[in-house]
Amino acid sequence: MKDIISGGIFGKTVAHMHVIEFQKRGLPHAHILIIIADQDRAMTPDLVDSIVVAELPPRPEDTDCEEEAEQRKRLQTIVMNNMIHGPCGSINRKCNKNYPKAFQKKTVVDMDNNYPTYRRRAPEDGGHQVICKKTACRIDNRWVVPYCPFLSLKFNCHINVELCTSPKAAKYLYKYVTKGSDRAMVATEVDG
């Protein structure tokens, strides 16, 4: 949270809210809403692409810089282990998260949609494919869950990052803060 709130990796944060919930096996995860200052909120395709990526990382062998190649290799491992959607059962079954997504040559910011449509290039448009070691399936950009490379490299875990221009995001997160069954405190005493 420090990188986001005071570090300003997405811009100046004017408000934030989060809730931590536990999955079925007891693993915690957080839903975080960050509200960015107006001057940092302009959503252009270039700004979106600088924060959120929905593609496999660039190939390590496509750079001559040894340090950059090592960072790309590390990011590729993190993305393959944490940011590939699936499995959803049989390949013919419809996924409720709409994966695989459609290929997209460029990021499109449609203010009526509230969410940008992230760039997911096809192999013929500059994207690439890899073979997943876990499943032996061919993976391309259609299967990548949106992520922030900075956060992925820093924390080496699944961190789904989405940009949104709608107040519906606050309503969505509020649902997580208030969900759960009603609770009451009860005390019993034994007279002695």
Side-chain angles (χ1 to χ4, degrees), residues 8-188:
I9 63 169
F10 300 130
K12 182 180 178 192
T13 301
V14 295
H16 68 280
M17 173 181 178
H18 74 277
V19 62
I20 297 173
E21 68 178 5
F22 293 85
Q23 296 172 326
K24 292 178 184 175
R25 295 184 191 118
L27 298 173
H29 70 275
H31 295 263
I32 304 168
L33 173 68
I34 306 297
I35 299 174
I36 303 298
D38 287 341
Q39 68 269 18
D40 293 334
R41 207 182 292 178
M43 274 236 269
T44 65
D46 289 338
L47 178 64
V48 171
D49 289 342
S50 72
I51 297 171
V52 179
V53 176
E55 295 187 312
L56 295 167
R59 291 184 181 103
E61 59 271 13
D62 290 347
T63 183
D64 294 329
C65 175
E66 191 175 319
E67 186 178 320
E68 186 176 347
E70 187 58 38
Q71 185 175 30
R72 286 180 178 190
K73 184 177 179 182
R74 189 168 161 258
L75 184 59
Q76 185 169 18
T77 300
I78 292 167
V79 169
M80 290 303 296
N81 288 335
N82 301 295
M83 302 309 297
I84 302 301
H85 181 77
C88 290
S90 84
I91 199 72
N92 297 324
R93 196 170 131 207
K94 180 74 174 154
C95 171
N96 66 355
K97 303 291 186 208
N98 298 316
Y99 281 89
K101 302 287 188 182
F103 284 122
Q104 180 77 28
K105 285 186 181 184
K106 295 181 179 182
T107 297
V108 175
V109 176
D110 177 4
M111 295 312 251
D112 295 331
N113 183 21
N114 297 318
Y115 291 93
T117 303
Y118 303 108
R119 180 179 68 192
R120 294 173 185 274
R121 292 173 290 185
E124 58 270 15
D125 293 324
H128 63 276
Q129 300 173 336
V130 296
I131 302 296
C132 179
K133 292 177 183 176
K134 291 179 187 175
T135 63
C137 293
R138 187 176 304 276
I139 301 294
D140 57 35
N141 291 331
R142 296 174 299 165
W143 296 97
V144 178
V145 176
Y147 66 96
C148 171
F150 172 83
L151 292 175
S152 292
L153 285 166
K154 182 163 185 173
F155 295 105
N156 187 10
C157 65
H158 176 88
I159 303 176
N160 177 206
V161 177
E162 300 273 357
L163 297 180
C164 178
T165 60
S166 170
K168 290 179 184 176
K171 183 179 176 184
Y172 170 80
L173 191 57
Y174 183 74
K175 173 179 85 174
Y176 281 97
V177 174
T178 59
K179 90 175 189 182
S181 56
D182 292 335
R183 297 187 177 118
M185 298 282 293
V186 177
T188 59

